[in-house]
Amino acid sequence: MRKLNDIKKQKHIALIAHDNKKVQLINWIKENKDFLSTHFLCGTGTTARMIIEETSLPVRAFESGPYGGDQQIGAAIVDGKIDFMIFFWDPLSSQPHDPDVKALLRIAVLYDIPVAMNVSSADFLLKSSYMTEDYMREK
């Protein structure tokens, strides 16, 4: 089992989007498909299925967010199985699973993993030199 503070060159990336942001995430993934194809991808239910259908990238699907997918992603972060999270969330819509989303974001911060929440932050993080090399977290 790998150490929690060791993020390898080939990242384990979680891809998540609220309903109103799924198309935006899919379009961003299409623009970055070649680069993302060199990493391990996972995501919550509907988002993962849409990514697979639209891009043909292999994506491990967890449950849908409201059915525990956010918690599964959080557990995978705790277990050191996710290094990086891209979560396009909708700040203008109330979500029935808001407590789960808050818990997921808390875990991501607690375990010191990079998190992108919109196109700009995802672009900046993906273009970082750390995306192509090993990285040692502080934790």
Side-chain angles (χ1 to χ4, degrees), residues 44-112:
T44 51
T46 306
T47 304
R49 283 189 292 279
M50 288 177 70
I51 294 167
I52 293 166
E53 290 170 7
E54 296 284 329
T55 70
S56 300
L57 287 170
V59 181
R60 177 182 175 211
F62 289 94
E63 293 295 324
S64 176
Y67 289 95
D70 296 328
Q71 293 173 333
Q72 288 178 308
I73 297 277
I77 291 169
V78 170
D79 289 341
K81 296 177 182 172
I82 293 177
D83 306 312
F84 189 104
M85 184 169 65
I86 298 171
F87 187 168
F88 286 11
W89 63 280
D90 183 358
L92 301 177
S93 296
S94 177
Q95 302 294 325
H97 61 294
D98 272 342
D100 297 335
V101 171
K102 185 176 180 181
L104 174 58
L105 295 174
R106 179 184 172 280
I107 289 294
V109 170
L110 186 64
Y111 282 82
D112 195 27

Side-chain angles (χ1 to χ4, degrees), residues 8-138:
K8 296 294 185 188
K9 181 178 178 178
Q10 193 172 26
K11 312 291 187 266
H12 294 255
I13 302 172
L15 302 165
I16 307 164
H18 283 151
D19 289 345
N20 291 339
K21 297 292 184 174
K22 289 186 190 317
V23 170
Q24 186 179 45
L25 179 63
I26 298 290
N27 289 337
W28 182 84
I29 290 168
K30 286 178 180 178
E31 291 173 13
N32 295 285
K33 181 179 176 180
D34 289 341
F35 184 79
L36 290 170
S37 70
T38 65
H39 298 280
F40 300 104
L41 307 175
C42 67
T44 51
T46 306
T47 304
R49 283 189 292 279
M50 288 177 70
I51 294 167
I52 293 166
E53 290 170 7
E54 296 284 329
T55 70
S56 300
L57 287 170
V59 181
R60 177 182 175 211
F62 289 94
E63 293 295 324
S64 176
Y67 289 95
D70 296 328
Q71 293 173 333
Q72 288 178 308
I73 297 277
I77 291 169
V78 170
D79 289 341
K81 296 177 182 172
I82 293 177
D83 306 312
F84 189 104
M85 184 169 65
I86 298 171
F87 187 168
F88 286 11
W89 63 280
D90 183 358
L92 301 177
S93 296
S94 177
Q95 302 294 325
H97 61 294
D98 272 342
D100 297 335
V101 171
K102 185 176 180 181
L104 174 58
L105 295 174
R106 179 184 172 280
I107 289 294
V109 170
L110 186 64
Y111 282 82
D112 195 27
I113 70 163
V115 179
M117 295 191 197
N118 55 34
V119 171
S120 296
S121 61
D123 283 344
F124 271 79
L125 287 174
L126 215 63
K127 304 290 188 244
S128 167
S129 62
Y130 292 124
M131 285 301 294
T132 57
E133 59 187 56
D134 290 355
Y135 178 80
M136 294 299 293
R137 288 183 283 171
E138 300 250 341

